Amino acid sequence: MGFSSQHPAKLSLTALLFVLCILLAVNYGDLKVAAEIDWMDILGEGSSLAVVIAWLLLVLYSRPAGPVTNGLYVGSLLLVMSYQLNLLDEFFQYPESHRLLSWLESIPAPIGMLILTLGLIGWHKEQRFINQQLASRELHLRHYQLLDPLTKLYKPEYMLAVLKRELELQQQHQQPFCLALVDISQFGRFNREQGMAAADLLLQQLSELTLVQFRSGDLVCRYSGDKFVILMPQSNQATAQSLLQNATSQLSLHLHTQLHWTITEITAAQQVTKPQRLLSQLWQQLQQQKQQKTQWSLV
């Protein structure tokens, strides 16, 4: 997903504000003669503007939509506006009686810094929570080679090991757990139309957002391609359904795609002992649901 598919309104607003600043300078100011222009100031202020624009584009490229992204964007946009007017000030002379551009040049910068700082704090909290989620996955197995390099979720080998342990514990404590299999609708088509980079970004964003939505004791793994397995210990079917429905509603705020998913509840009475067979049953259930066009949509 490129800039235009993720944040079209933000890109349009950025371009509009950029043009508006130029029009204000042209309308209210007089162009300076070459002798009055300080090219060293232009170099310094132009470099600062370029860096802030790079920050803004990086936010739009790497972040899904949401409150934290909005804070980072608004803070960066105010800095871009302030730095752009500061640069234009080197080319245009404004009348002493007109203070509007002077205020627009000075006031947005500290406000933008404050909003940007709040956004960075939110980003830090998100990342800390994700790190806690990843750390909890290492409670029993601490092998980083079991991490999927793209999504930073664990691979199927880790899921099978944890699932085997969960089945053994279940026989001892008689507590049910639930297992869910999720895949992205029309992912192959998305990959062909948008390209591999956009498809990888979608998988990364879905992985990060899914991790945040589930409990610290739940396990989210990348099963294969666009398929994910979610293990929910000490959960019955109703609890698992509620967790997935809440996650779906939250993900709908960020991603525009469809998900297929199915849940199975495992109890001690079923005497399931082979994790691979359990995953195979889930796969068959998911395929049947997809054939029947039973799916949850994220819109």
Side-chain angles (χ1 to χ4, degrees), residues 21 49 89 104 188 262 266 288:
C21 288
L49 176 61
D89 189 32
L104 291 176
T262 185
I266 311 302
Q288 291 173 1

Side-chain angles (χ1 to χ4, degrees), residues 25 27 95 98 131 134 198 275-276:
N27 184 60
H98 191 78
N131 290 339
L134 290 175
Q276 189 60 58

